[in-house]
Amino acid sequence: MKEPFFKTAAELAALGKENIPDAFRLDTHLIYNSPAALDFNSPGAQGYGVKRAGLSVPDSVMLLIAPRSCGRNTSGLAAGDTERFGWLLMDETDIVTGRHLKKIPEAVRAFVESREKQPSVVMLCITCVDALLGTDMERVCRRAEEAVGIPVRPCYMYALTRDSKKPPMAYVRETVYSLLRPRKKNPRAVNLMGYFAPLSDDSELYEVLKGFGLKYIRELGRCKTVDEYHELSEANFNLLLSADARDAAAMLEKKLAIPSVEITRLYEIDKIGSQYKSLARVLGADYKEPSMKNEAEMAVAELLAITPKPVFAIGSRLNANAFELSLALVRYGAEVAEIYGDPQPQDFSYIRRLAEISPDTRIYSNLSPTMAVYDEEKSPVTVAVGRDAVYYHENAVHVPWSDETQPFGFSAVRDFCRAVISACEGKEQEKQPSKVSLGEKIVSSHEIHGLRLAIAPFAPDTSGAAAVLFPLDALTVIVDAGGCAGNICGFDEPRWDVKSFAKRSTVFSAGLRDMDAIMGRDDRLMEKLALAADEVDASFAALIGTPVPAVIGTDYRALVRLIEKRLQLPAVAVDTDGTKLYDEGASKTWETLMKTFATAGEPCDAVGVIGVTPLDFSSEEAENIRKSIDGDVLLYGWDGELSNIKRAGRVKKNYVASASGLRAAKYLEKKFGVPYEILCPLSAVEKSAVSEASEQGGRMLVIHEPVRAEAFRKALAEAGAAEVTVGTWFTPVRELSRDGDVHFKEEAQFARFVEQGGFSCVIADAALRKAAPRYIGVWLDVPHFAVSGER
Ligand code: SF4
């Protein structure tokens, strides 16, 4: 039986920081892409990644210059408040020639003009593609600045450089402070740096600093206006609360002569006190112990009184250093059985002390491929802390401890203990609001190819491919630097919550770094694949392409041959590049799977359905399709059996539920003589939209993927509608198209068609409405996950 990799605290301490095992090193293996690894794989996917962090300056806006796969998660950021984002979507020519660069000044001008209120700064966010193209962003920003007359700054999202001396998150911290100008210093002013969100209002740090004579305690996360932002320049010193902001602090010291002092977030009460005393000494001030210390001590005592005594798993996706928090808990007398984290040399001071008092605590890597076989049943853990630990411990008490508002000091200890106590008592934790807001009305009128000012990117081809492969027992590798995998599995794949899917699915990121891409190091990818193949049971290997291999021209055929030879495993590759839409990626994948695995032979009595993925259907809708067909129904892909796909050439008939299944169905008909039929029953919500629309009367416009749109058209006609036009953003299906139907490619074209088409009723995802604000008819919302990410 395969086991997940771990080291005990004692073993790790004995190895020392010079001999950290490879499984904890990120460049030696594929990255397991479960939700537990999401923050690593795609720091932009949730919380404060580059995209949100870049908007920390009040009234700033961001233009994302990227293949659609890089911007797909934007609608999920900031609770769906996307008004501060615009997107210049790159096509397949842009990503290899860099021709998009010429459009940037014009796109920035159209973006700025589309906002009701003039932004304070435009952030231009670029991706791995421009990293590989060697784009001089400083120059691009200067040209854009000339076009709009307001500051334009670069934000680098490229995950390829995550392990470099200055990774994207360090850059963005510099960028958001870079607009500050020298001002007269105020000896009573200090800035707190390190987090994008503010500290908890009741952190005693404010009281401690006031006790030191500091009157103005400022944080970027509390600045509501540009004037408040510029007051940050008055600080006498910056107090660094996280090492992540060291580069930004150094930049401010150089540029504005603001020195910095660093302290860190701790959960050991005695160490918190010592740290405040040291700070007082550095500042030449007197320190008076805050009353919050007592509250923290009392909360710890209450935590230790919980019965039965909790056994903790501490993850890394939380507001703490996993090793320091574990050490603090063990020192208080609690039991920590497991830690999820990838120890860095600087963590060894905690690990060594932990090894002395809790030598058997197991330290797992979230990112190791072996975590795909982690089994909760074998663990004694009863309380899981951190989003990653929660993922592995479905049956434990959950304490995510990852709110955006940052806990700090004694109050963090108190609040942490209270959170654990409440969770153990079964009380819900209060959710912190998390929203970036600007809220201008968007007016979208431009003719720039690929520019989106209102509609966030739809699901890309990479997500379409991954959605087809996810339930299959494949060793699936997204050939990317981490961010694409995070976008796909964190945003476009909802089935992690369904145990039967999550158990089976082993999706990895190749974890490419800049030198892998520049040198085309396929051999390293092969080594990683071979290691992962030893750890998971997979029927075949599947590669999903992303923008990085598209830019460097990866030879997938050669890779497939290599995999088959070295791993003795069938392999397929889908050459998606992140610039196209999900239907194309799904379609390629269905076709590839059928061509590779479907076989002739004894006819079987079942019927098959091609084209069902969560990008088009909810679980309920998928099951409705099954119920609407008589007999033994194989929902290829959804049912998760490669053996079903193997039978696809021998079934009585194949049904096509979305346009993405059509090419594969045609192949199966031609090759094996299996007939196909298009079939897409409408859901209850959709049927009620049909009755509402038919009551409305007049000209109707249905916007969806082609098969579903056609199902609407038929249902509307049956309900008596006289004139129904179909529009789609996805690849049209010739046999379903009628005169007057339209294929949308650009936002402005879409806006004109909807606003000026004389439609009395539009049936479409509500997210599209933003792009046609002057449309005055009825809009019936039919959510389409591939469009809005909403169900
Ligand atoms: S890792 Fe993928 S999503 Fe992230 S910037 Fe690179 S290409 Fe885009």
Side-chain angles (χ1 to χ4, degrees):
M1 182 67 193
K2 291 170 178 172
E3 294 288 342
F5 172 88
F6 71 87
K7 287 282 172 205
T8 63
E11 288 167 343
L12 198 55
L15 285 169
K17 62 182 173 190
E18 299 78 18
N19 298 303
I20 298 174
D22 277 356
F24 290 122
R25 286 186 38 208
L26 312 175
D27 55 343
T28 59
H29 53 76
L30 297 177
I31 309 294
Y32 180 41
N33 204 49
S34 74
L38 185 58
D39 277 357
F40 169 78
N41 272 339
S42 181
Q46 64 185 53
Y48 277 88
V50 170
K51 293 178 201 134
R52 268 191 84 190
L55 289 175
S56 299
V57 179
D59 295 348
S60 56
V61 293
M62 178 178 283
L63 184 66
L64 196 61
I65 301 157
R68 66 182 72 244
S69 57
C70 307
R72 166 61 173 160
N73 68 354
T74 337
S75 64
L77 298 174
D81 187 359
T82 55
E83 280 83 356
R84 293 174 73 179
F85 289 104
W87 304 266
L88 183 57
L89 299 180
M90 297 163 81
D91 63 23
E92 60 190 330
T93 307
D94 296 334
I95 66 172
V96 287
T97 63
R99 70 172 179 182
H100 61 288
L101 298 173
K102 289 204 185 103
K103 290 186 283 190
I104 291 176
E106 203 191 330
V108 172
R109 185 167 40 218
F111 182 32
V112 169
E113 282 171 1
S114 73
R115 312 291 123 162
E116 222 169 46
K117 182 177 172 190
Q118 169 141 308
S120 59
V121 52
V122 181
M123 299 290 181
L124 296 187
C125 186
I126 59 161
T127 68
C128 294
V129 173
D130 277 294
L132 291 171
L133 292 174
T135 302
D136 178 353
M137 274 312 284
E138 298 291 339
R139 187 156 163 260
V140 170
C141 287
R142 279 198 302 277
R143 283 177 46 221
E145 219 165 78
E146 284 160 18
V148 288
I150 58 172
V152 179
R153 293 286 183 275
C155 284
Y156 304 97
M157 193 172 73
Y158 26 77
L160 277 174
T161 60
R162 189 199 304 266
D163 299 334
S164 65
K165 280 200 184 121
K166 196 175 280 186
M169 284 308 288
Y171 253 119
V172 77
R173 281 182 160 87
E174 279 192 35
T175 304
V176 294
Y177 288 102
S178 67
L179 299 173
L180 295 176
R181 297 281 166 263
R183 270 198 187 183
K184 190 166 174 271
K185 298 282 168 290
N186 182 336
R188 302 183 72 191
V190 60
N191 297 328
L192 306 185
M193 287 179 73
Y195 305 116
F196 291 103
L199 296 195
S200 320
D201 288 341
D202 63 354
S203 170
E204 78 287 349
L205 179 60
Y206 297 111
E207 179 193 333
V208 169
L209 292 174
K210 281 186 182 151
F212 294 163
L214 294 157
K215 189 172 173 197
Y216 304 101
I217 302 163
R218 298 190 174 108
E219 293 161 86
L220 181 60
R222 288 188 191 272
C223 293
K224 297 272 181 296
T225 64
V226 175
D227 287 345
E228 283 177 17
Y229 168 79
H230 282 290
E231 285 173 355
L232 297 171
S233 303
E234 290 177 1
N236 201 31
F237 71 100
N238 289 317
L239 186 60
L240 235 69
L241 307 180
S242 159
D244 295 340
R246 279 181 192 159
D247 284 338
M251 185 267 294
L252 288 178
E253 178 151 15
K254 196 167 162 207
K255 215 174 126 189
L256 305 183
I258 305 178
S260 62
V261 180
E262 187 171 334
I263 60 174
T264 191
R265 174 161 52 201
L266 299 169
Y267 285 82
E268 294 171 276
I269 290 177
D270 54 344
K271 303 283 179 199
I272 297 170
S274 317
Q275 190 166 244
Y276 286 149
K277 282 178 200 153
S278 305
L279 181 62
R281 269 197 303 280
V282 169
L283 300 177
D286 291 329
Y287 171 65
K288 187 170 161 278
E289 202 99 81
S291 57
M292 186 64 80
K293 185 182 175 197
N294 279 340
E295 291 191 36
E297 286 167 343
M298 279 161 54
V300 169
E302 282 170 39
L303 180 132
L304 295 176
I306 297 175
T307 52
K309 193 176 165 192
V311 179
F312 286 98
I314 307 292
S316 296
R317 291 177 63 198
L318 80 179
N319 291 324
N321 173 306
F323 300 102
E324 196 275 335
L325 176 59
S326 300
L327 173 62
L329 286 170
V330 174
R331 283 189 65 210
Y332 297 143
E335 186 180 346
V336 177
E338 297 174 357
I339 300 173
Y340 301 93
D342 292 288
Q344 301 301 306
Q346 62 271 24
D347 296 321
F348 272 74
S349 62
Y350 306 128
I351 292 167
R352 277 194 297 272
R353 289 166 62 210
L354 188 64
E356 285 168 17
I357 52 178
S358 183
D360 296 329
T361 295
R362 293 178 171 199
I363 299 162
Y364 292 91
S365 166
N366 260 332
L367 311 174
S368 160
T370 66
M371 289 308 282
V373 295
Y374 180 88
D375 184 358
E376 182 187 8
E377 304 295 318
K378 294 182 183 167
S379 159
V381 165
T382 59
V383 176
V385 182
R387 286 174 181 272
D388 41 359
V390 162
Y391 173 72
Y392 290 114
H393 291 281
E394 195 186 342
N395 298 317
V397 169
H398 291 175
V399 185
W401 198 238
S402 56
D403 284 346
E404 284 187 356
T405 302
Q406 294 296 311
F408 197 90
F410 296 126
S411 71
V413 179
R414 180 200 63 182
D415 293 345
F416 172 77
C417 294
R418 286 180 178 174
V420 174
I421 294 163
S422 299
C424 289
E425 287 171 353
K427 289 183 198 150
E428 284 269 319
Q429 287 295 297
E430 232 176 76
K431 285 226 164 68
Q432 302 279 350
S434 69
K435 223 169 177 222
V436 195
S437 63
L438 194 68
E440 308 103 355
K441 185 167 155 248
I442 298 166
V443 178
S444 175
S445 65
H446 62 84
E447 295 294 338
I448 301 167
H449 169 56
L451 184 63
R452 302 267 190 280
L453 297 178
I455 314 173
F458 307 146
D461 52 358
T462 45
S463 293
V468 175
L469 291 163
F470 183 85
L472 298 171
D473 52 344
L475 194 170
T476 303
V477 181
I478 299 166
V479 188
D480 78 327
C484 304
N487 261 317
I488 293 165
C489 295
F491 190 86
D492 271 334
E493 181 47 75
R495 289 170 289 182
W496 289 103
D497 285 348
V498 183
K499 220 166 181 170
S500 55
F501 286 126
K503 280 258 174 218
R504 215 164 33 219
S505 188
T506 41
V507 190
F508 302 97
S509 160
L512 297 177
R513 291 296 168 262
D514 44 1
M515 289 317 285
D516 297 329
I518 293 162
M519 314 282 289
R521 297 196 292 212
D522 290 346
D523 50 332
R524 276 173 58 92
L525 180 58
M526 272 309 304
E527 291 303 323
K528 292 179 177 182
L529 263 153
L531 276 174
D534 283 344
E535 305 297 344
V536 297
D537 292 317
S539 300
F540 66 106
L543 301 179
I544 298 177
T546 73
V548 169
V551 174
I552 61 175
T554 294
D555 182 348
Y556 290 112
R557 276 200 205 165
L559 268 174
V560 163
R561 278 199 300 273
L562 266 174
I563 294 169
E564 291 185 330
K565 195 167 163 206
R566 170 115 187 242
L567 309 187
Q568 295 294 301
L569 204 60
V572 295
V574 192
D575 63 344
T576 42
D577 65 8
T579 67
K580 307 185 184 72
L581 287 159
Y582 82 101
D583 58 324
E584 191 165 334
S587 174
K588 272 184 185 174
T589 313
W590 290 118
E591 195 181 13
T592 304
L593 288 174
M594 295 306 174
K595 283 185 173 169
T596 311
F597 296 113
T599 51
E602 193 71 12
C604 87
D605 211 26
V607 293
V609 183
I610 318 176
V612 180
T613 74
L615 295 167
D616 288 316
F617 299 95
S618 65
S619 301
E620 204 183 19
E621 287 164 353
E623 290 311 319
N624 280 344
I625 292 175
R626 197 197 303 277
K627 282 184 209 147
S628 69
I629 303 169
D630 289 333
D632 182 10
V633 181
L634 314 176
L635 290 190
Y636 305 123
W638 195 273
D639 288 336
E641 305 288 332
L642 184 61
S643 57
N644 286 349
I645 288 181
K646 289 181 176 169
R647 289 199 280 167
R650 293 182 278 126
V651 293
K652 288 194 291 189
K653 186 181 201 176
N654 283 310
Y655 289 96
V656 174
S658 70
S660 66
L662 205 53
R663 241 157 63 187
K666 286 182 177 173
Y667 163 78
L668 292 166
E669 185 180 60
K670 195 167 171 207
K671 174 89 181 171
F672 302 107
V674 180
Y676 74 86
E677 181 184 331
I678 292 173
L679 171 103
C680 182
L682 295 181
S683 69
V685 172
E686 291 164 342
K687 282 179 189 160
S688 87
V690 168
S691 13
E692 230 179 292
S694 49
E695 276 168 29
Q696 188 69 31
R699 296 189 65 211
M700 287 171 207
L701 173 64
V702 178
I703 305 168
H704 215 297
E705 70 84 32
V707 166
R708 188 82 64 97
E710 184 58 21
F712 269 108
R713 174 148 54 198
K714 276 194 185 136
L716 285 164
E718 279 163 21
E723 206 179 334
V724 183
T725 302
V726 159
T728 189
W729 287 90
F730 307 104
T731 309
V733 174
R734 209 178 315 135
E735 62 221 64
L736 301 179
S737 292
R738 311 233 184 119
D739 284 350
D741 285 357
V742 59
H743 182 195
F744 302 119
K745 292 186 175 158
E746 302 291 346
E747 202 173 72
Q749 169 215 8
F750 171 82
R752 271 196 307 274
F753 191 82
V754 174
E755 290 172 348
Q756 298 164 20
F759 300 106
S760 57
C761 181
V762 173
I763 300 179
D765 192 302
L768 298 173
R769 189 169 192 168
K770 273 188 188 170
R774 298 181 200 91
Y775 170 69
I776 50 166
V778 172
W779 191 293
L780 297 172
D781 178 24
V782 177
H784 183 189
F785 189 84
V787 168
S788 59
E790 302 277 336
R791 292 227 179 275

